[in-house]
Amino acid sequence: MKNNFLKLLAVIGALWSVAPKATAAESKENSKVSADLTLFARAEQVDDGSTFGDMGLKPHVIVEKDEYKAEFLGSFYNSAYTNQKKGEWLTLMSRLKLENEDWELQVGRMQLYPAFTGFIKTPLTTTLDNELMAAGTTRTFTGTRLSHKESGLGVGLVANDTRMTPTHWNTGLVTWEKRLSKEWGVAAHIGAGDKGFHNAGTTVTWMPTDKTTVVAEGIYNKKTTHGIFSVQHKLTDDLALFAGTKISKPNEGKMKGWITAGTSYNLGKGFSAVAAFKQDVGGKHKPHAILGLRYCGNFGITGQ
């Protein structure tokens, strides 16, 4: 394992060496360090009697020097229903990113192109967003990826599971993410390993106006194909309408999914309220109402 790890470090070093380097004479700015912690806390009540609650912590540290930047970002999550035992803390993300003006290198447990995905651009309810994340909208991988900023192309070596051990990094990954214009953005990835192709995804975002965002996603993950569509329209700075649908088709089995629509309102001081309904597709279940309260607070310091 030690030899494999040393070989991997050598490969990473060789890739990073192709990035342009600044000379000592060009270095004039002082280094800058910033750190913050974001806290998420949410609870939702469904009219079938279940209550869902979750909490997330996101520590974020950035060190900058001239054109270079080192960044650590973590995401730790816990959730539970009232009729279940207390949930366990999960590490959704724990990655180090090194970058300059042209290149970006990530190592650890990372999420690909989060700025394009629907649960960020067009959030629904907490429970439905979690379901979409489990389907693969976060594109979470453990391993390493090198990306070229201008072209949006990236290549990586990742694990086919969640283990951080480099000996598990046996899957090749190719990614592309690009903001084509103010209105359009596209992102895609494909992963294949010693057992062949096993995951892929495409995301298209469209912002026809400053107040409307549409996201369409297609994902193949764990032998299931998911089609996801979500839209958000802001009536005011505080009030937004949203709608979405997910249709899933496993390689073997029946197609199923759901549709939803609702509204969210910013209450101020980090709090927001959500009201929506959910209707299953492909079944005889009656629509469910969902009411939720969310909190998001950011605490940080910045220094030289």
Side-chain angles (χ1 to χ4, degrees), residues 112-113 139 174-177 186-190 201-203:
L112 305 185
Y113 41 88
R139 277 74 157 188
V174 178
T175 66
W176 181 53
E177 51 187 297
V186 62
H189 80 277
I190 185 170
T202 301
T203 297

Side-chain angles (χ1 to χ4, degrees), residues 132-290:
L132 295 179
M133 292 168 65
T137 58
T138 55
R139 277 74 157 188
T140 300
F141 294 95
T142 301
T144 183
R145 179 179 69 143
L146 178 68
S147 304
H148 184 244
K149 291 184 176 181
E150 184 175 358
S151 66
L153 290 172
V155 294
L157 188 64
V158 298
N160 60 5
D161 51 32
T162 60
R163 300 190 184 184
M164 294 289 289
T165 308
T167 53
H168 283 251
W169 300 357
N170 57 3
T171 298
L173 183 68
V174 178
T175 66
W176 181 53
E177 51 187 297
K178 190 72 173 179
R179 176 64 62 183
L180 302 177
S181 65
K182 181 181 178 181
E183 294 83 13
W184 292 94
V186 62
H189 80 277
I190 185 170
D194 52 1
K195 296 183 180 180
F197 159 79
H198 57 74
N199 66 74
T202 301
T203 297
V204 178
T205 64
W206 177 42
M207 297 183 64
T209 70
D210 291 339
K211 295 185 177 181
T212 303
T213 304
V214 181
V215 179
E217 302 177 78
I219 301 166
Y220 178 80
N221 184 39
K222 298 179 181 178
K223 298 183 179 181
T224 301
T225 301
H226 305 279
I228 301 164
F229 179 86
S230 54
V231 57
Q232 183 190 81
H233 177 70
K234 291 186 176 181
L235 297 176
T236 68
D237 290 340
D238 295 322
L239 180 63
L241 303 177
F242 61 80
T245 182
K246 186 192 80 163
I247 303 297
S248 301
K249 178 64 173 70
N251 290 352
E252 299 179 0
K254 296 181 179 181
M255 181 178 66
K256 60 181 180 179
W258 46 257
I259 60 174
T260 187
T263 182
S264 62
Y265 185 77
N266 178 24
L267 300 173
K269 298 186 181 299
F271 289 94
S272 61
V274 177
F277 81 90
K278 173 193 174 186
Q279 172 65 61
D280 291 334
V281 175
K284 298 181 180 180
H285 301 287
K286 67 177 183 179
H288 282 307
I290 302 173

Side-chain angles (χ1 to χ4, degrees), residues 44-52 81-83:
E44 289 185 350
Q45 174 72 47
V46 184
D47 64 1
D48 62 2
S50 61
T51 301
F52 175 84
Y81 284 89
T82 54
N83 58 352

Side-chain angles (χ1 to χ4, degrees), residues 19-71:
K21 299 294 189 295
T23 64
E26 295 172 330
S27 180
K28 298 180 181 180
E29 299 181 2
N30 294 325
S31 61
K32 179 181 178 182
V33 179
S34 61
D36 62 75
L37 175 67
T38 302
L39 168 65
F40 298 93
R42 296 161 292 197
E44 289 185 350
Q45 174 72 47
V46 184
D47 64 1
D48 62 2
S50 61
T51 301
F52 175 84
D54 69 348
M55 177 179 290
L57 296 172
K58 286 190 175 182
H60 190 194
V61 180
I62 298 176
V63 180
E64 297 179 87
K65 175 71 174 179
D66 299 325
E67 67 168 301
Y68 302 101
K69 181 167 73 171
E71 176 187 56

